[in-house]
Amino acid sequence: MGNVVRGAVAFVPSERCQRYLVGDLKEMPFDRTLDLSSRQLRRFPIRASAFNELVKLYLSDNHLNNLPPELRNLQKLQLLALDFNCFEEFPLVVCSLMQLNILYLGNNRLYGLPKQIRQLTELKTLWLETNCFTKFPRVVCDLPNIKTLHLGYNQLRSLPPELGRLEELRSIWLAGNLLNEFPPVLLKMHYLEVIDVDRNRIQYFPSLAHLRGLKLVIYDHNPCVNAPVVAEGVRRVGRWADNSDDEEGESEGMTDKAGMKVQEPLEENK
């Protein structure tokens, strides 16, 4: 019953109704973290933009499709979670948050990224899974400090050569796309530690033994005729993996991916 009431109240733009959904928001949280997830929000509570010392802001699982310009007041924000909302366009005000390290935008309706996102030079983690991308957003290649990139469950058919410029990239998650071949650019990225191409259309895997930084490759659920050759100590998850990990690999691999979001630390906590 509570969710039904919240859902009805969310349509009423009065200040009183907003307080019912998010509380009074009179004082900035002591830990500089504000969690407004799963509140049935249809608009960002402007009062929260006064918390200019805020470091983490969670707005996941709401009904947001835009953000107000007042959000730029949160210049110390390092983590912003906007996943499971209704964004069809990337909210441009996010590009003004220059200290942002971690951005979650999965499970929306995005099909592109603005060129202004290259202003987020401190961004290290970008999750864009389960959106509507049919082409790899090339502007991502202008984010020099990206370490984790999640573009799983879109409709990507290839990766651009420019991706090789991301020398800080350590893990790339591409499960559930439309890749017909293993992306050639990944063969040149020796610093990658995790490659996930689960649930694509790859029929043949080239050798990955030369990728000296590689620790894990997930390649299950492809119509492949071979398993990728890897260096000693590299874990493979998929058909023809040479040890007992293969039988439990899928469930463990998915658990690893699901856990990454909550385990991703802010730079200041490392």
Side-chain angles (χ1 to χ4, degrees), residues 164-195:
R165 297 203 302 255
L166 299 181
E167 296 185 357
E168 296 298 318
L169 191 63
R170 294 297 179 266
S171 59
I172 186 164
W173 306 84
L174 299 165
N177 277 286
L178 303 174
L179 301 173
N180 288 315
E181 65 171 353
F182 187 84
V185 65
L186 299 185
L187 297 174
K188 302 176 182 179
M189 301 177 72
H190 295 272
Y191 30 82
L192 280 173
E193 297 178 358
V194 178
I195 299 174

PDB file of all heavy atoms in Angstrom, residues 164-195:
ATOM      1  N   GLY A 164      41.393   2.059 -27.986  1.00  0.00           N
ATOM      2  CA  GLY A 164      42.751   1.739 -27.574  1.00  0.00           C
ATOM      3  C   GLY A 164      43.474   2.881 -26.890  1.00  0.00           C
ATOM      4  O   GLY A 164      44.514   2.675 -26.258  1.00  0.00           O
ATOM      5  N   ARG A 165      42.916   4.096 -26.990  1.00  0.00           N
ATOM      6  CA  ARG A 165      43.539   5.241 -26.326  1.00  0.00           C
ATOM      7  C   ARG A 165      43.352   5.197 -24.817  1.00  0.00           C
ATOM      8  O   ARG A 165      44.060   5.892 -24.081  1.00  0.00           O
ATOM      9  CB  ARG A 165      42.940   6.548 -26.864  1.00  0.00           C
ATOM     10  CG  ARG A 165      43.167   6.810 -28.324  1.00  0.00           C
ATOM     11  CD  ARG A 165      43.058   8.293 -28.636  1.00  0.00           C
ATOM     12  NE  ARG A 165      41.773   8.855 -28.260  1.00  0.00           N
ATOM     13  CZ  ARG A 165      40.802   9.172 -29.127  1.00  0.00           C
ATOM     14  NH1 ARG A 165      40.990   8.967 -30.421  1.00  0.00           N
ATOM     15  NH2 ARG A 165      39.669   9.704 -28.712  1.00  0.00           N
ATOM     16  N   LEU A 166      42.397   4.402 -24.344  1.00  0.00           N
ATOM     17  CA  LEU A 166      42.080   4.373 -22.915  1.00  0.00           C
ATOM     18  C   LEU A 166      43.067   3.465 -22.174  1.00  0.00           C
ATOM     19  O   LEU A 166      42.766   2.323 -21.840  1.00  0.00           O
ATOM     20  CB  LEU A 166      40.639   3.907 -22.705  1.00  0.00           C
ATOM     21  CG  LEU A 166      39.566   4.785 -23.342  1.00  0.00           C
ATOM     22  CD1 LEU A 166      38.179   4.235 -23.038  1.00  0.00           C
ATOM     23  CD2 LEU A 166      39.686   6.228 -22.857  1.00  0.00           C
ATOM     24  N   GLU A 167      44.228   3.989 -21.887  1.00  0.00           N
ATOM     25  CA  GLU A 167      45.297   3.196 -21.290  1.00  0.00           C
ATOM     26  C   GLU A 167      45.045   2.866 -19.827  1.00  0.00           C
ATOM     27  O   GLU A 167      45.720   1.997 -19.268  1.00  0.00           O
ATOM     28  CB  GLU A 167      46.635   3.918 -21.458  1.00  0.00           C
ATOM     29  CG  GLU A 167      47.039   4.077 -22.922  1.00  0.00           C
ATOM     30  CD  GLU A 167      48.416   4.676 -23.077  1.00  0.00           C
ATOM     31  OE1 GLU A 167      49.039   5.020 -22.034  1.00  0.00           O
ATOM     32  OE2 GLU A 167      48.882   4.813 -24.225  1.00  0.00           O
ATOM     33  N   GLU A 168      44.101   3.542 -19.193  1.00  0.00           N
ATOM     34  CA  GLU A 168      43.762   3.231 -17.806  1.00  0.00           C
ATOM     35  C   GLU A 168      42.668   2.177 -17.697  1.00  0.00           C
ATOM     36  O   GLU A 168      42.394   1.686 -16.593  1.00  0.00           O
ATOM     37  CB  GLU A 168      43.317   4.505 -17.078  1.00  0.00           C
ATOM     38  CG  GLU A 168      44.395   5.567 -16.948  1.00  0.00           C
ATOM     39  CD  GLU A 168      45.584   5.072 -16.134  1.00  0.00           C
ATOM     40  OE1 GLU A 168      45.363   4.403 -15.104  1.00  0.00           O
ATOM     41  OE2 GLU A 168      46.727   5.340 -16.540  1.00  0.00           O
ATOM     42  N   LEU A 169      42.048   1.812 -18.808  1.00  0.00           N
ATOM     43  CA  LEU A 169      40.933   0.862 -18.783  1.00  0.00           C
ATOM     44  C   LEU A 169      41.421  -0.512 -18.332  1.00  0.00           C
ATOM     45  O   LEU A 169      42.377  -1.056 -18.881  1.00  0.00           O
ATOM     46  CB  LEU A 169      40.292   0.761 -20.168  1.00  0.00           C
ATOM     47  CG  LEU A 169      38.959   0.000 -20.238  1.00  0.00           C
ATOM     48  CD1 LEU A 169      37.888   0.703 -19.429  1.00  0.00           C
ATOM     49  CD2 LEU A 169      38.517  -0.164 -21.694  1.00  0.00           C
ATOM     50  N   ARG A 170      40.746  -1.062 -17.321  1.00  0.00           N
ATOM     51  CA  ARG A 170      41.124  -2.367 -16.789  1.00  0.00           C
ATOM     52  C   ARG A 170      40.036  -3.420 -16.964  1.00  0.00           C
ATOM     53  O   ARG A 170      40.340  -4.606 -17.037  1.00  0.00           O
ATOM     54  CB  ARG A 170      41.464  -2.237 -15.290  1.00  0.00           C
ATOM     55  CG  ARG A 170      42.701  -1.391 -15.025  1.00  0.00           C
ATOM     56  CD  ARG A 170      43.945  -2.012 -15.628  1.00  0.00           C
ATOM     57  NE  ARG A 170      45.152  -1.206 -15.405  1.00  0.00           N
ATOM     58  CZ  ARG A 170      45.609  -0.322 -16.261  1.00  0.00           C
ATOM     59  NH1 ARG A 170      44.980  -0.115 -17.413  1.00  0.00           N
ATOM     60  NH2 ARG A 170      46.716   0.359 -16.003  1.00  0.00           N
ATOM     61  N   SER A 171      38.778  -3.015 -17.033  1.00  0.00           N
ATOM     62  CA  SER A 171      37.713  -4.003 -17.234  1.00  0.00           C
ATOM     63  C   SER A 171      36.660  -3.443 -18.179  1.00  0.00           C
ATOM     64  O   SER A 171      36.248  -2.294 -18.057  1.00  0.00           O
ATOM     65  CB  SER A 171      37.076  -4.406 -15.895  1.00  0.00           C
ATOM     66  OG  SER A 171      36.535  -3.288 -15.224  1.00  0.00           O
ATOM     67  N   ILE A 172      36.255  -4.291 -19.130  1.00  0.00           N
ATOM     68  CA  ILE A 172      35.230  -3.903 -20.085  1.00  0.00           C
ATOM     69  C   ILE A 172      34.186  -5.011 -20.145  1.00  0.00           C
ATOM     70  O   ILE A 172      34.512  -6.187 -20.295  1.00  0.00           O
ATOM     71  CB  ILE A 172      35.831  -3.604 -21.476  1.00  0.00           C
ATOM     72  CG1 ILE A 172      34.755  -3.065 -22.420  1.00  0.00           C
ATOM     73  CG2 ILE A 172      36.554  -4.795 -22.077  1.00  0.00           C
ATOM     74  CD1 ILE A 172      35.321  -2.393 -23.665  1.00  0.00           C
ATOM     75  N   TRP A 173      32.926  -4.625 -19.990  1.00  0.00           N
ATOM     76  CA  TRP A 173      31.811  -5.556 -19.885  1.00  0.00           C
ATOM     77  C   TRP A 173      30.889  -5.343 -21.078  1.00  0.00           C
ATOM     78  O   TRP A 173      30.262  -4.292 -21.206  1.00  0.00           O
ATOM     79  CB  TRP A 173      31.070  -5.336 -18.559  1.00  0.00           C
ATOM     80  CG  TRP A 173      31.986  -5.398 -17.373  1.00  0.00           C
ATOM     81  CD1 TRP A 173      32.743  -4.386 -16.871  1.00  0.00           C
ATOM     82  CD2 TRP A 173      32.270  -6.544 -16.563  1.00  0.00           C
ATOM     83  NE1 TRP A 173      33.481  -4.817 -15.793  1.00  0.00           N
ATOM     84  CE2 TRP A 173      33.204  -6.146 -15.565  1.00  0.00           C
ATOM     85  CE3 TRP A 173      31.812  -7.866 -16.563  1.00  0.00           C
ATOM     86  CZ2 TRP A 173      33.699  -7.017 -14.607  1.00  0.00           C
ATOM     87  CZ3 TRP A 173      32.291  -8.732 -15.597  1.00  0.00           C
ATOM     88  CH2 TRP A 173      33.223  -8.316 -14.634  1.00  0.00           C
ATOM     89  N   LEU A 174      30.805  -6.348 -21.948  1.00  0.00           N
ATOM     90  CA  LEU A 174      30.088  -6.222 -23.220  1.00  0.00           C
ATOM     91  C   LEU A 174      29.094  -7.350 -23.443  1.00  0.00           C
ATOM     92  O   LEU A 174      28.692  -7.626 -24.571  1.00  0.00           O
ATOM     93  CB  LEU A 174      31.095  -6.193 -24.387  1.00  0.00           C
ATOM     94  CG  LEU A 174      32.100  -5.036 -24.375  1.00  0.00           C
ATOM     95  CD1 LEU A 174      33.246  -5.317 -25.333  1.00  0.00           C
ATOM     96  CD2 LEU A 174      31.402  -3.723 -24.734  1.00  0.00           C
ATOM     97  N   ALA A 175      28.673  -8.008 -22.382  1.00  0.00           N
ATOM     98  CA  ALA A 175      27.741  -9.134 -22.520  1.00  0.00           C
ATOM     99  C   ALA A 175      26.424  -8.672 -23.142  1.00  0.00           C
ATOM    100  O   ALA A 175      26.007  -7.527 -22.987  1.00  0.00           O
ATOM    101  CB  ALA A 175      27.467  -9.759 -21.158  1.00  0.00           C
ATOM    102  N   GLY A 176      25.779  -9.579 -23.862  1.00  0.00           N
ATOM    103  CA  GLY A 176      24.441  -9.314 -24.357  1.00  0.00           C
ATOM    104  C   GLY A 176      24.359  -8.291 -25.468  1.00  0.00           C
ATOM    105  O   GLY A 176      23.358  -7.581 -25.585  1.00  0.00           O
ATOM    106  N   ASN A 177      25.395  -8.200 -26.305  1.00  0.00           N
ATOM    107  CA  ASN A 177      25.359  -7.316 -27.464  1.00  0.00           C
ATOM    108  C   ASN A 177      25.253  -8.150 -28.747  1.00  0.00           C
ATOM    109  O   ASN A 177      24.829  -9.307 -28.702  1.00  0.00           O
ATOM    110  CB  ASN A 177      26.584  -6.406 -27.467  1.00  0.00           C
ATOM    111  CG  ASN A 177      26.388  -5.193 -26.564  1.00  0.00           C
ATOM    112  OD1 ASN A 177      25.665  -4.260 -26.893  1.00  0.00           O
ATOM    113  ND2 ASN A 177      27.037  -5.205 -25.400  1.00  0.00           N
ATOM    114  N   LEU A 178      25.643  -7.568 -29.873  1.00  0.00           N
ATOM    115  CA  LEU A 178      25.498  -8.233 -31.169  1.00  0.00           C
ATOM    116  C   LEU A 178      26.848  -8.377 -31.873  1.00  0.00           C
ATOM    117  O   LEU A 178      26.929  -8.319 -33.096  1.00  0.00           O
ATOM    118  CB  LEU A 178      24.526  -7.436 -32.064  1.00  0.00           C
ATOM    119  CG  LEU A 178      23.121  -7.197 -31.489  1.00  0.00           C
ATOM    120  CD1 LEU A 178      22.319  -6.282 -32.417  1.00  0.00           C
ATOM    121  CD2 LEU A 178      22.389  -8.513 -31.280  1.00  0.00           C
ATOM    122  N   LEU A 179      27.903  -8.597 -31.099  1.00  0.00           N
ATOM    123  CA  LEU A 179      29.246  -8.722 -31.664  1.00  0.00           C
ATOM    124  C   LEU A 179      29.370 -10.028 -32.439  1.00  0.00           C
ATOM    125  O   LEU A 179      29.172 -11.107 -31.888  1.00  0.00           O
ATOM    126  CB  LEU A 179      30.289  -8.675 -30.548  1.00  0.00           C
ATOM    127  CG  LEU A 179      30.310  -7.405 -29.681  1.00  0.00           C
ATOM    128  CD1 LEU A 179      31.267  -7.586 -28.512  1.00  0.00           C
ATOM    129  CD2 LEU A 179      30.686  -6.188 -30.510  1.00  0.00           C
ATOM    130  N   ASN A 180      29.733  -9.928 -33.712  1.00  0.00           N
ATOM    131  CA  ASN A 180      29.912 -11.118 -34.550  1.00  0.00           C
ATOM    132  C   ASN A 180      31.343 -11.628 -34.524  1.00  0.00           C
ATOM    133  O   ASN A 180      31.605 -12.759 -34.935  1.00  0.00           O
ATOM    134  CB  ASN A 180      29.509 -10.816 -36.001  1.00  0.00           C
ATOM    135  CG  ASN A 180      28.007 -10.674 -36.154  1.00  0.00           C
ATOM    136  OD1 ASN A 180      27.244 -11.479 -35.621  1.00  0.00           O
ATOM    137  ND2 ASN A 180      27.575  -9.646 -36.868  1.00  0.00           N
ATOM    138  N   GLU A 181      32.251 -10.790 -34.086  1.00  0.00           N
ATOM    139  CA  GLU A 181      33.649 -11.187 -33.969  1.00  0.00           C
ATOM    140  C   GLU A 181      34.230 -10.570 -32.706  1.00  0.00           C
ATOM    141  O   GLU A 181      33.714  -9.582 -32.178  1.00  0.00           O
ATOM    142  CB  GLU A 181      34.464 -10.736 -35.187  1.00  0.00           C
ATOM    143  CG  GLU A 181      34.573  -9.232 -35.332  1.00  0.00           C
ATOM    144  CD  GLU A 181      35.556  -8.823 -36.417  1.00  0.00           C
ATOM    145  OE1 GLU A 181      36.245  -9.704 -36.966  1.00  0.00           O
ATOM    146  OE2 GLU A 181      35.647  -7.612 -36.700  1.00  0.00           O
ATOM    147  N   PHE A 182      35.303 -11.184 -32.215  1.00  0.00           N
ATOM    148  CA  PHE A 182      35.983 -10.612 -31.058  1.00  0.00           C
ATOM    149  C   PHE A 182      36.570  -9.268 -31.493  1.00  0.00           C
ATOM    150  O   PHE A 182      37.303  -9.197 -32.491  1.00  0.00           O
ATOM    151  CB  PHE A 182      37.085 -11.547 -30.579  1.00  0.00           C
ATOM    152  CG  PHE A 182      37.715 -11.111 -29.289  1.00  0.00           C
ATOM    153  CD1 PHE A 182      37.137 -11.445 -28.069  1.00  0.00           C
ATOM    154  CD2 PHE A 182      38.878 -10.357 -29.290  1.00  0.00           C
ATOM    155  CE1 PHE A 182      37.703 -11.027 -26.873  1.00  0.00           C
ATOM    156  CE2 PHE A 182      39.460  -9.940 -28.102  1.00  0.00           C
ATOM    157  CZ  PHE A 182      38.865 -10.276 -26.895  1.00  0.00           C
ATOM    158  N   PRO A 183      36.273  -8.183 -30.777  1.00  0.00           N
ATOM    159  CA  PRO A 183      36.704  -6.852 -31.214  1.00  0.00           C
ATOM    160  C   PRO A 183      38.224  -6.758 -31.359  1.00  0.00           C
ATOM    161  O   PRO A 183      38.956  -6.941 -30.376  1.00  0.00           O
ATOM    162  CB  PRO A 183      36.201  -5.939 -30.086  1.00  0.00           C
ATOM    163  CG  PRO A 183      35.046  -6.679 -29.479  1.00  0.00           C
ATOM    164  CD  PRO A 183      35.433  -8.127 -29.551  1.00  0.00           C
ATOM    165  N   PRO A 184      38.723  -6.484 -32.562  1.00  0.00           N
ATOM    166  CA  PRO A 184      40.172  -6.426 -32.795  1.00  0.00           C
ATOM    167  C   PRO A 184      40.902  -5.451 -31.891  1.00  0.00           C
ATOM    168  O   PRO A 184      42.043  -5.705 -31.493  1.00  0.00           O
ATOM    169  CB  PRO A 184      40.273  -6.008 -34.274  1.00  0.00           C
ATOM    170  CG  PRO A 184      38.989  -6.471 -34.885  1.00  0.00           C
ATOM    171  CD  PRO A 184      37.961  -6.305 -33.823  1.00  0.00           C
ATOM    172  N   VAL A 185      40.265  -4.333 -31.549  1.00  0.00           N
ATOM    173  CA  VAL A 185      40.954  -3.336 -30.734  1.00  0.00           C
ATOM    174  C   VAL A 185      41.340  -3.900 -29.369  1.00  0.00           C
ATOM    175  O   VAL A 185      42.375  -3.515 -28.800  1.00  0.00           O
ATOM    176  CB  VAL A 185      40.080  -2.069 -30.564  1.00  0.00           C
ATOM    177  CG1 VAL A 185      38.807  -2.362 -29.773  1.00  0.00           C
ATOM    178  CG2 VAL A 185      40.870  -0.946 -29.888  1.00  0.00           C
ATOM    179  N   LEU A 186      40.574  -4.857 -28.840  1.00  0.00           N
ATOM    180  CA  LEU A 186      40.885  -5.416 -27.521  1.00  0.00           C
ATOM    181  C   LEU A 186      42.173  -6.234 -27.555  1.00  0.00           C
ATOM    182  O   LEU A 186      42.827  -6.404 -26.521  1.00  0.00           O
ATOM    183  CB  LEU A 186      39.730  -6.291 -27.031  1.00  0.00           C
ATOM    184  CG  LEU A 186      38.376  -5.594 -26.835  1.00  0.00           C
ATOM    185  CD1 LEU A 186      37.363  -6.566 -26.236  1.00  0.00           C
ATOM    186  CD2 LEU A 186      38.509  -4.352 -25.959  1.00  0.00           C
ATOM    187  N   LEU A 187      42.555  -6.716 -28.719  1.00  0.00           N
ATOM    188  CA  LEU A 187      43.784  -7.505 -28.842  1.00  0.00           C
ATOM    189  C   LEU A 187      45.033  -6.643 -28.662  1.00  0.00           C
ATOM    190  O   LEU A 187      46.130  -7.177 -28.465  1.00  0.00           O
ATOM    191  CB  LEU A 187      43.826  -8.196 -30.207  1.00  0.00           C
ATOM    192  CG  LEU A 187      42.728  -9.215 -30.478  1.00  0.00           C
ATOM    193  CD1 LEU A 187      42.809  -9.723 -31.914  1.00  0.00           C
ATOM    194  CD2 LEU A 187      42.819 -10.381 -29.492  1.00  0.00           C
ATOM    195  N   LYS A 188      44.862  -5.337 -28.724  1.00  0.00           N
ATOM    196  CA  LYS A 188      45.993  -4.419 -28.585  1.00  0.00           C
ATOM    197  C   LYS A 188      46.039  -3.770 -27.194  1.00  0.00           C
ATOM    198  O   LYS A 188      46.951  -2.993 -26.917  1.00  0.00           O
ATOM    199  CB  LYS A 188      45.912  -3.327 -29.647  1.00  0.00           C
ATOM    200  CG  LYS A 188      45.900  -3.865 -31.074  1.00  0.00           C
ATOM    201  CD  LYS A 188      45.716  -2.734 -32.078  1.00  0.00           C
ATOM    202  CE  LYS A 188      45.651  -3.265 -33.494  1.00  0.00           C
ATOM    203  NZ  LYS A 188      45.441  -2.170 -34.486  1.00  0.00           N
ATOM    204  N   MET A 189      45.063  -4.098 -26.363  1.00  0.00           N
ATOM    205  CA  MET A 189      44.959  -3.448 -25.053  1.00  0.00           C
ATOM    206  C   MET A 189      45.531  -4.361 -23.978  1.00  0.00           C
ATOM    207  O   MET A 189      44.816  -5.073 -23.267  1.00  0.00           O
ATOM    208  CB  MET A 189      43.498  -3.062 -24.792  1.00  0.00           C
ATOM    209  CG  MET A 189      42.953  -2.115 -25.861  1.00  0.00           C
ATOM    210  SD  MET A 189      41.198  -1.677 -25.695  1.00  0.00           S
ATOM    211  CE  MET A 189      41.250  -0.598 -24.271  1.00  0.00           C
ATOM    212  N   HIS A 190      46.855  -4.352 -23.852  1.00  0.00           N
ATOM    213  CA  HIS A 190      47.582  -5.279 -22.992  1.00  0.00           C
ATOM    214  C   HIS A 190      47.313  -5.070 -21.509  1.00  0.00           C
ATOM    215  O   HIS A 190      47.613  -5.941 -20.693  1.00  0.00           O
ATOM    216  CB  HIS A 190      49.084  -5.155 -23.261  1.00  0.00           C
ATOM    217  CG  HIS A 190      49.485  -5.564 -24.642  1.00  0.00           C
ATOM    218  ND1 HIS A 190      49.807  -6.860 -24.964  1.00  0.00           N
ATOM    219  CD2 HIS A 190      49.574  -4.848 -25.791  1.00  0.00           C
ATOM    220  CE1 HIS A 190      50.102  -6.934 -26.250  1.00  0.00           C
ATOM    221  NE2 HIS A 190      49.969  -5.721 -26.783  1.00  0.00           N
ATOM    222  N   TYR A 191      46.769  -3.926 -21.149  1.00  0.00           N
ATOM    223  CA  TYR A 191      46.557  -3.592 -19.745  1.00  0.00           C
ATOM    224  C   TYR A 191      45.193  -4.063 -19.235  1.00  0.00           C
ATOM    225  O   TYR A 191      44.906  -3.951 -18.057  1.00  0.00           O
ATOM    226  CB  TYR A 191      46.683  -2.078 -19.561  1.00  0.00           C
ATOM    227  CG  TYR A 191      46.265  -1.297 -20.791  1.00  0.00           C
ATOM    228  CD1 TYR A 191      44.918  -1.027 -21.046  1.00  0.00           C
ATOM    229  CD2 TYR A 191      47.217  -0.886 -21.722  1.00  0.00           C
ATOM    230  CE1 TYR A 191      44.536  -0.354 -22.189  1.00  0.00           C
ATOM    231  CE2 TYR A 191      46.834  -0.207 -22.865  1.00  0.00           C
ATOM    232  CZ  TYR A 191      45.498   0.061 -23.102  1.00  0.00           C
ATOM    233  OH  TYR A 191      45.112   0.712 -24.242  1.00  0.00           O
ATOM    234  N   LEU A 192      44.326  -4.562 -20.136  1.00  0.00           N
ATOM    235  CA  LEU A 192      43.014  -5.039 -19.696  1.00  0.00           C
ATOM    236  C   LEU A 192      43.150  -6.222 -18.746  1.00  0.00           C
ATOM    237  O   LEU A 192      43.945  -7.133 -18.988  1.00  0.00           O
ATOM    238  CB  LEU A 192      42.163  -5.449 -20.901  1.00  0.00           C
ATOM    239  CG  LEU A 192      41.470  -4.322 -21.669  1.00  0.00           C
ATOM    240  CD1 LEU A 192      40.803  -4.874 -22.920  1.00  0.00           C
ATOM    241  CD2 LEU A 192      40.445  -3.611 -20.797  1.00  0.00           C
ATOM    242  N   GLU A 193      42.365  -6.217 -17.687  1.00  0.00           N
ATOM    243  CA  GLU A 193      42.358  -7.315 -16.723  1.00  0.00           C
ATOM    244  C   GLU A 193      41.113  -8.190 -16.857  1.00  0.00           C
ATOM    245  O   GLU A 193      41.177  -9.392 -16.604  1.00  0.00           O
ATOM    246  CB  GLU A 193      42.447  -6.759 -15.296  1.00  0.00           C
ATOM    247  CG  GLU A 193      43.746  -6.006 -15.041  1.00  0.00           C
ATOM    248  CD  GLU A 193      43.799  -5.416 -13.640  1.00  0.00           C
ATOM    249  OE1 GLU A 193      42.806  -5.559 -12.887  1.00  0.00           O
ATOM    250  OE2 GLU A 193      44.828  -4.814 -13.286  1.00  0.00           O
ATOM    251  N   VAL A 194      39.990  -7.593 -17.233  1.00  0.00           N
ATOM    252  CA  VAL A 194      38.725  -8.324 -17.366  1.00  0.00           C
ATOM    253  C   VAL A 194      38.092  -7.987 -18.699  1.00  0.00           C
ATOM    254  O   VAL A 194      37.927  -6.813 -19.050  1.00  0.00           O
ATOM    255  CB  VAL A 194      37.744  -7.968 -16.228  1.00  0.00           C
ATOM    256  CG1 VAL A 194      36.412  -8.704 -16.420  1.00  0.00           C
ATOM    257  CG2 VAL A 194      38.344  -8.276 -14.872  1.00  0.00           C
ATOM    258  N   ILE A 195      37.738  -9.037 -19.448  1.00  0.00           N
ATOM    259  CA  ILE A 195      36.998  -8.891 -20.706  1.00  0.00           C
ATOM    260  C   ILE A 195      35.767  -9.781 -20.624  1.00  0.00           C
ATOM    261  O   ILE A 195      35.887 -10.996 -20.434  1.00  0.00           O
ATOM    262  CB  ILE A 195      37.850  -9.290 -21.930  1.00  0.00           C
ATOM    263  CG1 ILE A 195      39.084  -8.397 -22.050  1.00  0.00           C
ATOM    264  CG2 ILE A 195      37.007  -9.205 -23.206  1.00  0.00           C
ATOM    265  CD1 ILE A 195      40.044  -8.820 -23.161  1.00  0.00           C
TER     266      ILE A 195
END
